[in-house]
Amino acid sequence: PAAAIVWREDERPVFMQIDPAEAVVLETVGNGLTFGGLCVALTDRMPEDDAIQLAAKYLRNWLAHGWITGVALDPESEEVRS
């Protein structure tokens, strides 16, 4: 199955098909999972080096498309939240 994301760039709607796994990760991060938590979650599915590279790839893509507009420090864990 395919997944898609839709967002606006100024007044123009933009549509892009994304990997279903990335869609699940993006939704989870949107619900408060930290970047560190994302890396840990991915290491359950693949070797640590691959997990970190994939998490970095996702983050780079999300920043490039403007899907992450700010970050906040979680005062309880001192991890940065997106």
Side-chain angles (χ1 to χ4, degrees):
I5 187 163
V6 179
W7 73 99
R8 287 189 171 277
E9 290 181 358
D10 297 318
E11 295 296 317
R12 182 177 64 98
V14 180
F15 164 88
M16 184 172 78
Q17 190 170 341
I18 61 175
D19 181 85
E22 183 178 4
V24 170
V25 169
L26 187 58
E27 181 178 2
T28 304
V29 169
N31 289 329
L33 181 69
T34 64
F35 183 73
L38 169 60
C39 292
V40 169
L42 290 173
T43 60
D44 292 341
R45 297 190 169 129
M46 61 190 68
E48 184 176 348
D49 287 345
D50 294 342
I52 292 169
Q53 288 180 9
L54 182 58
K57 175 185 167 188
Y58 285 161
L59 181 61
R60 184 174 45 251
N61 185 43
W62 302 337
L63 289 167
H65 286 96
W67 301 342
I68 296 178
T69 58
V71 295
L73 184 64
D74 180 349
E76 293 182 21
S77 70
E78 297 186 13
E79 288 189 39
V80 175
R81 293 183 163 262
S82 59

